């Protein structure tokens, strides 16, 4: 591949990224962070303000806490912007650019340059590509693409370093979106059919790196008896049967109203975003907050009661 072709590929990727980013950011003033993203934004704000490392994310459909991967991806947006509607944009843009680069490299390796150029155009302008260009919700495409690229390199170049890179990439992807875990089955399948080297030393390094990534969440899970991880693996809902009595607890409502919203230093985006909304707690959001603060093992409000960033769906006005 000559220098002119390489330059043309870079310009092609940049053009696709800029076009998709501009299309994805249309109407950003009317887009509020999703309810599921609020705990991660809160954790990212606390990290910027106090240095407190995020240890858990929001509550999923199994009523269990997920890893706080999105909180780390929200930190660049909180550092760069003061408007809460843009907090996800920086991290989402980085992942989107990385996805386009990885997708081009993967398709070019397997099918050639013409197919690679077509593939990133189709992805960047597709509904899912435009969605991930501005949102961190379920942002697993970056990690999936790069995991596949490292696996192909591992198989073709017979180099265990690429397997280690694939393991670390998948560990980071699972920290953002646990549902990418089935990709682990790709590794033994590729090894069974092609027998590339495993490299025990490189696997040990990759395992250590993965444990470092997961350490804050695993420490949090240890305090909860690993109930959340168990619920996700067994696909069992651990919401207590009597959760309704917590929703009617006036003590909880008063605790919510008196909490202070953490704000990054010299930036008032989160606080202003909260202040611009009405203070009464609506039923649906109180339920969402209760799931975040309830101890799902005992059915009581646990010690981890924290200041939420509440969103009010009935008030979608643009400031």
């Amino acid at each position: 591949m000559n220098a002119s072709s390489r330059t043309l590929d870079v310009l092609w990727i940049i053009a696709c990224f800029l076009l998709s980013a501009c299309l994805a950011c249309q109407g950003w003033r009317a887009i509020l962070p999703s309810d599921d993203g609020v705990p991660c934004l809160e954790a990212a704000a606390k990290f910027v303000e106090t240095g407190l490392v995020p240890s858990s994310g929001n509550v999923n459909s199994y009523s269990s806490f997920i890893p706080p991967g999105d909180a780390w991806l929200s930190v660049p947006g909180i550092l760069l912007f003061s408007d809460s509607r843009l907090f996800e944009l920086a991290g989402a843009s980085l992942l989107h650019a990385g996805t386009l680069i990885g997708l081009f490299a993967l398709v070019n390796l397997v099918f050639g340059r013409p197919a690679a150029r077509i593939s990133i155009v189709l992805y960047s302008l597709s509904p899912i590509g435009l969605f991930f260009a501005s949102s961190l919700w379920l942002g697993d495409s970056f990690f999936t693409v790069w995991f596949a690229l490292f696996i192909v390199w591992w198989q073709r170049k017979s180099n265990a370093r690429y397997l280690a890179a694939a393991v670390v990439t998948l560990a980071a992807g699972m920290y953002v979106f646990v549902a990418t875990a089935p990709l682990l089955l790709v590794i033994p399948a590729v090894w069974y059919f092609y027998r590339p080297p495993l490299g025990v030393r490189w696997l040990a390094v990759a395992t250590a790196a993965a444990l470092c990534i997961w350490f804050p969440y695993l420490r949090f899970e240890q305090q909860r008896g690993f109930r959340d991880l168990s619920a996700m693996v067994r696909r069992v809902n651990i919401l207590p049967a009597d959760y309704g009595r917590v929703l009617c607890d006036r003590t909880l409502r008063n605790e919510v109203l008196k909490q202070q919203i953490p704000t990054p230093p010299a930036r008032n985006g989160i606080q202003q975003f909260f202040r611009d909304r009405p203070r009464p707690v609506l039923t649906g959001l109180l339920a969402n907050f209760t799931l975040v603060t309830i101890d799902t093992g005992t059915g009581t409000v646990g010690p981890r009661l924290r200041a939420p960033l509440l969103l009010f769906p009935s008030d979608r006005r643009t400031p």
Side-chain angles (χ1 to χ4, degrees):
M1 182 174 62
N2 53 39
S4 60
S5 297
R6 187 179 293 107
T7 302
L8 183 59
D9 292 340
V10 173
L11 294 177
W12 189 274
I13 295 174
I14 293 175
C16 291
F17 169 75
L18 293 177
L19 178 60
S20 58
C22 290
L23 292 175
C25 291
Q26 289 188 98
W28 66 269
R29 290 183 179 86
I31 300 176
L32 299 179
S34 65
D35 293 353
D36 288 341
V38 169
C40 291
L41 291 179
E42 178 197 8
K46 286 183 178 179
F47 174 75
V48 172
E49 181 184 13
T50 66
L52 180 64
V53 176
S55 59
S56 66
N58 63 297
V59 176
N60 61 13
S61 57
Y62 298 117
S63 305
S64 58
F65 290 102
I66 65 173
D70 282 346
W72 290 107
L73 297 176
S74 301
V75 169
I78 291 179
L79 292 174
L80 292 174
F81 304 110
S82 60
D83 193 316
S84 61
R85 293 166 295 189
L86 298 175
F87 285 166
E88 295 185 13
L89 184 60
S93 297
L94 290 175
L95 289 185
H96 183 58
T99 301
L100 293 180
I101 295 172
L103 183 62
F104 184 92
L106 177 62
V107 179
N108 182 46
L109 183 64
V110 179
F111 299 106
R113 181 175 291 105
R117 292 175 178 174
I118 294 174
S119 67
I120 63 171
V121 171
L122 294 177
Y123 174 79
S124 62
L125 298 180
S126 66
I128 190 172
L130 293 175
F131 176 79
F132 285 137
S134 60
S135 176
L136 294 175
W137 191 63
L138 304 181
D140 60 329
S141 57
F142 168 85
F143 302 99
T144 302
V145 168
W146 279 95
F147 171 80
L149 180 60
F150 286 133
I151 289 296
V152 172
W153 276 338
W154 173 48
Q155 180 266 322
R156 293 197 173 189
K157 298 184 179 183
S158 295
N159 192 327
R161 286 179 296 181
Y162 294 113
L163 173 60
V167 171
V168 175
T169 300
L170 183 57
M174 291 172 58
Y175 206 62
V176 174
F177 190 48
V178 183
T180 55
L183 288 175
L184 281 171
L185 299 176
V186 174
I187 295 176
V190 171
W191 180 84
Y192 177 80
F193 287 106
Y194 299 99
R195 299 302 171 103
L198 293 176
V200 177
R201 183 178 61 181
W202 284 107
L203 280 179
V205 172
T207 302
L211 289 176
C212 289
I213 294 173
W214 277 74
F215 177 75
Y217 179 72
L218 293 177
R219 183 174 57 181
F220 168 77
E221 279 296 287
Q222 184 182 18
Q223 299 171 355
R224 293 173 51 82
F226 295 95
R227 286 194 296 269
D228 306 301
L229 275 176
S230 176
M232 288 184 282
V233 172
R234 296 183 295 118
R235 303 177 65 185
V236 175
N237 195 320
I238 57 176
L239 180 68
D242 60 342
Y243 70 93
R245 70 176 178 82
V246 183
L247 299 181
C248 301
D249 188 350
R250 290 183 177 272
T251 304
L252 175 62
R253 177 182 180 276
N254 295 334
E255 187 68 27
V256 172
L257 292 178
K258 74 179 183 181
Q259 291 290 331
Q260 297 297 321
I261 304 304
T263 306
R267 296 181 182 274
N268 63 351
I270 297 178
Q271 191 172 17
Q272 186 65 39
F273 169 67
F274 183 75
R275 190 184 300 121
D276 289 342
R277 268 80 190 158
R279 291 302 295 267
V281 181
L282 302 182
T283 303
L285 292 171
L286 181 57
N288 186 39
F289 174 78
T290 303
L291 293 182
V292 175
T293 58
I294 193 173
D295 186 331
T296 53
T298 62
T300 59
V301 178
R304 192 171 171 273
L305 191 61
R306 59 188 187 181
L309 290 176
L310 297 180
L311 298 178
F312 298 88
S314 63
D315 181 35
R316 293 269 178 182
R317 298 189 300 272
T318 301

